[in-house]
Amino acid sequence: MNFLKNEQIKVYLSIILGILSGLVGVSIFGLSGYMISLSYFNPPLITIIFIIVIIKLFGLSKGAFKYFERIFSHEATFQMINRLRIDFLNQTLANHIKTRDVRLIERLNKHFDDIEGYYIRIVYPIVTAVSTVLIVIILSALVSTKLVVIFSVFSLFVLLVVPLIFKHVFERIYDEESDVESTLYLKVYSLIYGYTDFFINKEIDEKQHDIETLIERYNDKKFMRANITHIMRMIAQVLQIIGLSLIIYAVDDVLLLPMILLIFINVVELLVPVMQPVSEFSRVKETIKRIEGHSENERPFNEELSVKDLTFRYENSKRDVLKRVTLNVKRGEKHVIIGPSGSGKSTLLHHLITEDASVMPQFLDFYNGTLRDNLTMFGKNEVEADELKEYLDDFNLKELELDDYMYATRHMSAGEMKRLHAIRMILERKNTWIMDEPTARLNDILREKMWDLILKQETLIVVTHDLSHLGEFDFIHYLKDGEIVETITSDALKEESSEIKKITERFTFE
């Protein structure tokens, strides 16, 4: 990975400050031990006072080193993440192959969270702890080669042997936890968006019981991970007792013994917290590489609005999301895909994306910039300010200013973001629109306004739970458990007795 590009100075400063903080901490423990030994010989009071003053000054300097180390490490990491966001934006503007990659957009936040955790929780602590301990080991050679062996063997066990023993255990627990979390997400999502269907079929209690069971399993996995961490720490404590015993046996100088014992205790305090991050290092690194690899090698756009006999499953998944799906959309046709939540509708939509289509994904993405920048994709879509204001007014967003900065979209409602994204699609001036739940989270008035806009487009592929306008589409596809179980025309919707018609009647009744 070549993430670090313009943040090297801050990274190096954070590591140096972290090492200095660790060494000062070791010195504080060492001086405290030396003062204990020295007090036995009744030294002059001024000597004790001098050592206490040094310990206090070291304590202040350690706090300062740690404070600035955190500042530099966090600034470097967040600047790196912000640069990656900007790089991604530039790629989407310069390379239209990635401009509307729904799966990539949905993965971005998780991707950046992994990078943040990789550096702040794993890399920096491990590098500073190992560097500090190496310096202590080198300095211990001034006292005794036996100390070098004791410190080295202990560090080797804590930093390498024990983490390797538990590495596969953590990987297995993590994979199981991820599987449960993914299943739980789909179940909750399905219950929220498919509540009406489940209520009619009297399946609410069953779905809620499934969710409660999954929550228990998820908590069990987290509890199991915590227990494994406690076991690792217990092993480290046992190794610490063995190390202390060996130091007592190896050191003959009574004056130095308390100092060395306390230094060893401080070394333990430095190494034990990074045991679990070391055990997860390779897994997290591979995860980031895998995600980065996907973002660099995403499949190109579908050349046509069609798929034939498509079977698809996500990486590391155990089930097919789509099964032998065939769908062909001709230019000028309007297609709608309906079905229960979790049936694969969004995945199918992704496989139908073409280069010349405007896309509204399920999860919307906005960049750090002004409202004008986000609507025009930083000037790519040329439009006058007056026209933009008219669109905002049409979608009941006139309270927003074009120069408003959108660095915190979490403060915007899902409905507001959906309307802004619709304006962005208008400005792209494309004849094909591909949309995932375009009217979700909108009130009745805005929903009708959105449908009026959508149905004016030349070619349409829409995934929706809103069945109020099915009759205005040329073809209606019912997707269930990854398969298209029925396809009918809007005319057949009025005449035939079909599964889609039954669903429509229930929707109308509700």
Side-chain angles (χ1 to χ4, degrees):
M1 291 173 297
N2 188 27
F3 291 133
L4 299 177
K5 185 178 180 182
N6 301 317
E7 298 82 25
Q8 291 96 330
I9 294 178
K10 290 182 179 179
V11 170
Y12 296 146
L13 281 173
S14 67
I15 291 174
I16 291 171
L17 289 169
I19 294 171
L20 288 174
S21 175
L23 290 175
V24 169
V26 170
S27 301
I28 292 173
F29 272 69
L31 283 172
S32 299
Y34 184 73
M35 187 175 66
I36 292 172
S37 300
L38 197 63
S39 62
Y40 177 79
F41 297 96
N42 294 319
L45 182 61
I46 188 66
T47 303
I48 299 296
I49 293 175
F50 180 71
I51 294 175
I52 292 173
V53 170
I54 293 177
I55 291 174
K56 289 292 185 181
L57 290 175
F58 276 12
L60 290 174
S61 61
K62 179 184 179 181
F65 288 146
K66 198 66 178 176
Y67 175 77
F68 286 105
E69 179 265 329
R70 291 290 177 87
I71 287 180
F72 286 128
S73 65
H74 283 61
E75 277 190 357
T77 302
F78 294 140
Q79 284 181 5
M80 173 179 58
I81 292 173
N82 189 56
R83 176 172 53 78
L84 288 172
R85 286 184 179 274
I86 293 173
D87 288 346
F88 173 77
L89 172 60
N90 290 334
Q91 287 177 5
T92 62
L93 296 178
N95 183 359
H96 51 260
I97 289 180
K98 294 182 179 180
T99 300
R100 286 294 178 231
D101 193 325
V102 181
R103 286 185 61 210
L104 179 58
I105 290 174
E106 292 177 0
R107 266 203 306 268
L108 277 181
N109 286 336
K110 180 65 168 64
H111 174 36
F112 295 132
D113 286 344
D114 284 339
I115 296 173
E116 177 186 332
Y118 177 72
Y119 282 99
I120 291 179
R121 195 177 68 85
I122 294 179
V123 174
Y124 296 132
I126 292 175
V127 171
T128 55
V130 171
S131 301
T132 303
V133 172
L134 282 175
I135 294 173
V136 172
I137 291 173
I138 293 170
L139 293 176
S140 67
L142 299 174
V143 180
S144 167
T145 55
K146 293 179 181 179
L147 283 181
V148 175
V149 174
I150 294 172
F151 276 84
S152 299
V153 172
F154 175 82
S155 302
L156 185 65
F157 267 87
V158 172
L159 285 176
L160 188 61
V161 176
V162 176
L164 281 177
I165 292 173
F166 287 93
K167 174 178 177 289
H168 297 295
V169 177
F170 274 116
E171 288 178 351
R172 178 177 57 81
I173 294 174
Y174 178 82
D175 290 340
E176 292 174 355
E177 184 180 316
S178 297
D179 288 342
V180 173
E181 185 179 25
S182 298
T183 306
L184 176 60
Y185 172 82
L186 290 174
K187 291 286 186 181
V188 172
Y189 181 89
S190 175
L191 180 61
I192 292 173
Y193 289 95
Y195 190 89
T196 302
D197 291 339
F198 295 141
F199 180 80
I200 292 173
N201 296 322
K202 299 181 179 179
E203 298 177 349
I204 296 296
D205 291 340
E206 178 187 345
K207 299 300 179 182
Q208 288 179 338
H209 179 265
D210 290 344
I211 290 172
E212 291 170 359
T213 302
L214 286 169
I215 291 174
E216 290 179 2
R217 287 178 56 194
Y218 181 73
N219 289 333
D220 288 343
K221 298 302 177 184
K222 294 181 73 68
F223 184 70
M224 189 181 302
R225 184 192 290 190
N227 282 342
I228 298 299
T229 303
H230 290 318
I231 292 173
M232 292 178 68
R233 291 178 179 270
M234 287 176 61
I235 293 174
Q237 294 302 317
V238 172
L239 293 173
Q240 178 185 10
I241 293 172
I242 295 173
L244 291 171
S245 302
L246 292 174
I247 290 172
I248 294 172
Y249 175 77
V251 177
D252 298 325
D253 193 332
V254 177
L255 187 63
L256 296 179
L257 182 58
M259 179 180 70
I260 296 171
L261 289 174
L262 288 179
I263 288 176
F264 182 76
I265 291 173
N266 187 250
V267 167
V268 175
E269 290 185 355
L270 286 173
L271 294 182
V272 169
V274 300
M275 289 176 68
Q276 181 181 349
V278 168
S279 68
E280 296 190 57
F281 179 83
S282 59
R283 178 188 62 77
V284 177
K285 185 176 180 180
E286 287 303 316
T287 299
I288 294 175
K289 279 185 176 180
R290 187 165 61 248
I291 296 173
E292 185 68 8
H294 281 316
S295 65
E296 292 175 354
N297 299 292
E298 285 292 325
R299 69 170 181 82
F301 283 106
N302 193 341
E303 294 182 1
E304 299 179 352
L305 290 167
S306 65
V307 293
K308 184 177 181 181
D309 201 27
L310 172 65
T311 296
F312 177 82
R313 71 170 57 180
Y314 290 108
E315 186 176 358
N316 298 325
S317 175
K318 298 179 181 179
R319 70 180 185 91
D320 292 330
V321 181
L322 297 174
K323 307 168 187 175
R324 303 175 301 281
V325 173
T326 296
L327 180 62
N328 182 39
V329 179
K330 296 179 181 178
R331 302 292 171 175
E333 292 181 344
K334 295 178 173 59
H335 291 245
V336 61
I337 304 170
I338 64 172
S341 298
S343 58
K345 299 189 298 298
S346 297
T347 303
L348 174 57
L349 206 65
H350 168 69
H351 283 82
L352 291 167
I353 293 175
T354 63
E355 180 179 336
D356 60 348
S358 285
V359 180
M360 178 180 286
Q362 186 175 6
F363 301 100
L364 305 179
D365 187 61
F366 291 89
Y367 303 99
N368 289 345
T370 65
L371 179 63
R372 187 200 310 269
D373 291 336
N374 276 277
L375 292 177
T376 64
M377 291 304 289
F378 292 79
K380 183 181 179 183
N381 303 320
E382 296 182 4
V383 62
E384 296 295 330
D386 290 341
E387 185 178 354
L388 279 178
K389 291 179 180 178
E390 287 181 10
Y391 288 132
L392 292 174
D393 191 20
D394 288 342
F395 281 95
N396 291 4
L397 295 168
K398 59 183 178 182
E399 70 278 2
L400 299 179
E401 298 293 336
L402 295 177
D403 293 328
D404 287 347
Y405 202 75
M406 297 183 64
Y407 61 88
T409 54
R410 64 182 179 275
H411 296 149
M412 301 183 68
S413 70
E416 287 175 324
M417 288 191 287
K418 189 147 293 188
R419 284 175 279 164
L420 290 173
H421 191 92
I423 295 174
R424 182 191 282 173
M425 294 175 70
I426 294 173
L427 299 179
E428 289 177 339
R429 321 289 184 188
K430 295 183 178 180
N431 296 325
T432 300
W433 279 23
I434 299 176
M435 311 183 79
D436 197 340
E437 299 291 355
T439 61
R441 308 295 179 87
L442 299 180
N443 61 36
D444 292 342
I445 295 175
L446 292 173
R447 187 160 54 244
E448 288 304 312
K449 188 181 291 290
M450 182 70 79
W451 276 124
D452 288 342
L453 171 66
I454 293 169
L455 294 168
K456 290 177 183 176
Q457 307 311 312
E458 179 182 329
T459 306
L460 272 179
I461 309 175
V462 178
V463 162
T464 184
H465 281 90
D466 181 357
L467 310 184
S468 58
H469 289 72
L470 291 188
E472 299 178 62
F473 286 86
D474 299 314
F475 297 93
I476 307 161
H477 309 277
Y478 182 56
L479 190 69
K480 185 176 182 181
D481 295 328
E483 298 181 80
I484 294 182
V485 296
E486 187 175 44
T487 295
I488 64 173
T489 64
S490 56
D491 291 335
L493 182 64
K494 304 172 184 176
E495 302 170 0
E496 297 180 4
S497 176
S498 65
E499 185 68 23
I500 293 177
K501 185 173 183 180
K502 292 176 184 177
I503 295 170
T504 308
E505 289 172 348
R506 288 203 301 266
F507 178 84
T508 306
F509 175 76
E510 289 295 320

